[in-house]
Amino acid sequence: MIKLIATDMDGTLLDDNKQLPKNFDNIVKRLFNKNIRFVISSGRSYCTLKKQFSEYLDDMTFICDNGAYVVDKGKLLSVSVLPKDTVKEAVRFCDKLGLTVLLCGKNGTWHNSRNDSQHQEIASYYVNQVKMDDLTLVDDDIFKIAVFEESGIENDGYCKLEERFGENFNVQLSGKYWTDIMNKGVTKGTALRTIENRIGVRYEETMAFGDYLNDVDMLNNSYYSFAMSNAHESIKKVANFMTGSNNDNSVMKEIEKHCLA
């Protein structure tokens, strides 16, 4: 019996227009009635997620910033703050490479977008975001450094970031244009294991959905692990099951089939 469900947001639960499934409220409330825990697991920050899911803050669990900030039913469960000197080093390194940086912190999200299209891309994922010319001046506890490359980051920017920071930090591809830097050991999967242990749920009782490389560890901690048909090829190799695309309401369909039939 499935007792815990975790789903990624972008490219997974949300369609390409960033919209939730129309039957989301109905499905989630039925899960609550069966005491099945529902977890939103995202690279987005809590300030963004709590606005979108304001009705459910006391009922859901939120794995935010790829596991760096976790809130369980309204209570902060864990937080992982990056060293301030590393944040400044990453900002300077990315500036030399011409990469755009977004700092996800306790008080907001700070970025140095270089044009309107980059700003719009950031605004589509983050609320409470502030543009700054010099991110080394940000005075906040930073949980995640998100790096954006407009031409696609996997073949160039990611490799350089991994080479520079990968030995001491977790450098993850989180999208076609995005790479995230967190402390070592910080992943969606680590956060999911913490939640499983906290509420007494086993691997065999966990369901998870994902589409990109920052979802790998989360899928590995779930027997009912589903890769979206639009997922990165590496995700399809990791997941135990396949489902349809994020535009076909596939997450809700699988939940209804396996948990609510």
Side-chain angles (χ1 to χ4, degrees):
M1 177 181 175
I2 295 169
K3 297 181 180 179
L4 187 157
I5 301 169
T7 180
D8 172 56
M9 287 275 285
D10 299 285
T12 302
L13 180 64
L14 303 182
D15 64 21
D16 287 347
N17 294 317
K18 307 298 182 185
Q19 298 298 307
L20 283 168
K22 292 181 180 179
N23 62 339
F24 178 81
D25 291 327
N26 175 267
I27 294 293
V28 167
K29 288 174 181 177
R30 289 167 65 191
L31 291 175
F32 293 161
N33 287 336
K34 294 190 69 173
N35 292 318
I36 297 174
R37 183 68 63 93
F38 193 80
V39 180
I40 295 293
S41 183
S42 177
R44 298 183 181 215
S45 296
Y46 186 56
C47 58
T48 299
L49 296 177
K50 70 179 181 180
K51 181 178 180 180
Q52 188 161 14
F53 298 98
S54 58
E55 182 181 350
Y56 302 110
L57 298 183
D58 293 329
D59 300 301
M60 285 185 185
T61 301
F62 297 90
I63 297 175
C64 317
D65 292 315
N66 287 331
Y69 196 90
V70 182
V71 178
D72 184 36
K73 292 191 172 184
K75 297 180 179 180
L76 180 61
L77 186 59
S78 65
V79 59
S80 180
V81 178
L82 286 160
K84 292 185 182 298
D85 58 347
T86 299
V87 174
K88 292 181 180 181
E89 180 186 356
V91 168
R92 295 186 181 109
F93 182 73
C94 290
D95 191 52
K96 290 179 181 179
L97 296 177
L99 301 173
T100 298
V101 176
L102 187 143
L103 305 179
C104 303
K106 179 180 179 180
N107 298 316
T109 50
W110 322 84
H111 63 90
N112 59 355
S113 59
R114 289 166 163 77
N115 53 52
D116 288 342
S117 65
Q118 290 184 5
H119 196 165
Q120 289 172 5
E121 170 78 4
I122 291 169
S124 71
Y125 294 102
Y126 297 93
V127 300
N128 195 22
Q129 44 89 14
V130 178
K131 186 179 184 305
M132 289 183 65
D133 292 330
D134 186 357
L135 293 179
T136 64
L137 300 178
V138 170
D139 184 18
D140 197 3
D141 289 335
I142 302 302
F143 316 132
K144 183 188 75 175
I145 303 167
V147 184
F148 176 78
E149 186 170 10
E150 202 160 13
S151 60
I153 202 165
E154 184 170 353
N155 295 322
D156 186 26
Y158 166 73
C159 297
K160 292 174 180 175
L161 290 165
E162 170 64 29
E163 182 179 2
R164 180 65 173 266
F165 298 101
E167 183 176 353
N168 298 310
F169 297 89
N170 182 18
V171 180
Q172 285 192 336
L173 276 169
S174 59
K176 182 178 180 180
Y177 307 102
W178 292 94
T179 291
D180 295 337
I181 303 173
M182 292 83 61
N183 281 319
K184 276 286 187 185
V186 172
T187 69
K188 292 182 178 182
T190 301
L192 184 60
R193 283 195 298 274
T194 299
I195 296 162
E196 287 172 333
N197 293 334
R198 178 180 173 87
I199 64 177
V201 172
R202 295 179 289 115
Y203 165 84
E204 295 83 3
E205 299 170 323
T206 304
M207 172 183 275
F209 300 87
D211 76 308
Y212 225 81
L213 299 182
N214 56 331
D215 297 318
V216 167
D217 201 23
M218 178 177 71
L219 296 177
N220 281 332
N221 279 278
S222 314
Y223 172 72
Y224 294 94
S225 56
F226 287 85
M228 312 303 292
S229 64
N230 53 285
H232 192 284
E233 289 303 313
S234 297
I235 290 293
K236 295 178 182 179
K237 296 176 183 178
V238 167
N240 291 329
F241 304 96
M242 285 288 301
T243 188
S245 81
N246 62 310
N247 290 317
D248 295 329
N249 199 21
S250 299
V251 172
M252 295 294 104
K253 288 178 181 177
E254 296 293 351
I255 290 174
E256 199 160 25
K257 175 183 176 181
H258 292 279
C259 303
L260 301 173

